[in-house]
Amino acid sequence: KLRAGDAHDVSDWCEFSASGTVYSEPGYRLVYASDDDVELAPFPSLEVDGVIPVESAEAKEHHTKAPARYVAATLIKELEERGIGRPSTYESIIRKLKDRFVFSKPGSTALIPTVTGLATYQLLQRSFLPLVNYDFTSNLEDQLDAIVDDIDKSAEILQDFYFGTDPTNGLQTLVSDADTTVNPRDLPALDLGPHPESGHHIYVRPGRMYKKRFSPYLECGGNTIGIADETCFEDLTLEEAVRLLNTGGPRTVGEIDGVPVFVKVTSTGAYFQHGEKGNLPDGHTKPRTAPLLKSMNPTTVNLNDAVTMFTLPREVGVYEKTGEVIVAHIGRYGAYIKAGEDTRSLKSQDEAFTIDALAATALLDTPKKPRLTRKKSAKKTYKKRKKS
């Protein structure tokens, strides 16, 4: 505490504010006042340029909480308030976001940006700002409604969007400028700070696309190591990044039957590996592998997560129509069930662990939807719009 008369002059390094409440007119309180009313703290008597003696000062720590992350429901509410999208489009918006740009931790519905999502946001903010503001998106919704009412307006609206109402804001100009001026090296997703030993900054970069997935990595000087796209930046501290760069290889999470289990991150994704050359699981001629779920973070998964994933493929039951065993599994394109050569996709990866024989049988009994080629699909969409 600092008191008046101390050697330190508090006014040199602190700003103070004073608050109080005074009712100039009692109003309704004249009628409804009671003995339970709390006595008001009077506002101090102050004058311009006046000097206020400091009797005591005490520092109190205060942490400002970050705003809560969006979940699907709060994001849709925000879109509604800004006039973006329609009730019929909200599901597809959330689904497309989850495909590449956001993910959720196990047991949580909060939407967390992926490395790809953050890098994409930074690129759009830098080079496509006229097209990524709320007013533009809201106005575009009105223009699309206008096309529904009058299909002849579509050519005019598309021309304005592509060429711009002036030479600087059309999509053609923005893409051309970005192509010539943007250097991907200047757009890391995140700068974690300097390495404590080398002094080189550690960058998180989105990497290149491989089989419709990006392959993010850490870079420090000439040293790089892959990380998962579904990496939570709160977990990727400078200390964790240094550890990953120093180890430079797979992380050991434990052992199963005396054989080590590793987590490996490659350009095709992250996966568990049970065993290695010279030390394989019993009955196996090569290491067992299992992919990580989208909700799993390679830097925080543990042995229990690996044991869970190694339970796949899981036998669900028997498909009575054919007598074949129904198996649930997770592949490159998502979770699915299989009975012989017949397969059906599951809505989420978690269903591979929870679906029972009854639900699997009902799914297999449902005929597959025929796949439309791109050309046929586009033709059908055009006819619908023309009709409306």
Side-chain angles (χ1 to χ4, degrees), residues 195 218 223-227 239-252 262-265 298-299:
H195 193 288
L218 292 175
N223 191 13
T224 62
I225 185 170
I227 60 173
E239 292 75 15
E240 177 63 17
V242 170
R243 187 193 69 78
L244 290 171
L245 289 163
N246 288 342
T247 56
R251 181 170 69 92
T252 305
F262 309 99
V263 179
K264 291 188 174 183
V265 180
T299 62

Side-chain angles (χ1 to χ4, degrees), residues 86-296:
R86 297 289 184 270
S88 59
T89 64
Y90 292 142
E91 182 183 356
S92 64
I93 290 173
I94 299 299
R95 185 175 66 251
K96 289 177 180 178
L97 284 174
K98 289 182 176 180
D99 282 344
R100 185 173 297 171
F101 301 115
V102 299
F103 71 101
S104 299
K105 288 184 175 182
S108 171
T109 57
L111 303 177
I112 304 171
T114 61
V115 177
T116 300
L118 185 57
T120 302
Y121 167 79
Q122 292 172 345
L123 173 63
L124 293 174
Q125 285 289 310
R126 174 169 173 165
S127 300
F128 296 89
L129 196 56
L131 304 182
V132 286
N133 64 72
Y134 299 123
D135 292 337
F136 171 83
T137 309
S138 180
N139 291 336
L140 185 61
E141 295 282 355
D142 296 334
Q143 292 176 341
L144 293 176
D145 288 341
I147 292 176
V148 173
D149 297 331
D150 184 0
I151 192 65
D152 294 333
K153 290 184 178 180
S154 59
E156 178 187 350
I157 291 173
L158 286 173
Q159 184 170 343
D160 289 344
F161 174 73
Y162 188 71
F163 295 106
T165 53
D166 66 65
T168 62
N169 64 3
L171 180 64
Q172 183 188 44
T173 302
L174 295 173
V175 172
S176 177
D177 290 346
D179 190 45
T180 56
T181 61
V182 173
N183 183 355
R185 299 291 303 171
D186 298 333
L187 288 173
L190 194 66
D191 182 352
L192 295 176
H195 193 288
E197 297 176 4
S198 67
H200 294 297
H201 274 244
I202 301 177
Y203 297 107
V204 181
R205 298 192 180 277
R208 296 179 179 274
M209 182 176 280
Y210 180 83
K211 293 184 178 180
K212 298 184 179 181
R213 298 287 294 179
F214 279 86
S215 51
Y217 62 95
L218 292 175
E219 179 189 60
C220 181
N223 191 13
T224 62
I225 185 170
I227 60 173
D229 203 10
E230 291 83 12
T231 296
C232 186
F233 291 110
E234 285 90 340
D235 299 331
L236 189 60
T237 60
L238 179 63
E239 292 75 15
E240 177 63 17
V242 170
R243 187 193 69 78
L244 290 171
L245 289 163
N246 288 342
T247 56
R251 181 170 69 92
T252 305
V253 296
E255 293 183 353
I256 298 177
D257 298 330
V259 179
V261 178
F262 309 99
V263 179
K264 291 188 174 183
V265 180
T266 67
S267 59
T268 58
Y271 64 93
F272 292 108
Q273 177 177 310
H274 183 205
E276 56 187 338
K277 188 176 180 180
N279 188 11
L280 298 172
D282 290 340
H284 289 76
T285 58
K286 60 181 181 180
R288 286 197 302 167
T289 60
L292 271 67
L293 299 177
K294 287 184 177 180
S295 57
M296 290 180 176

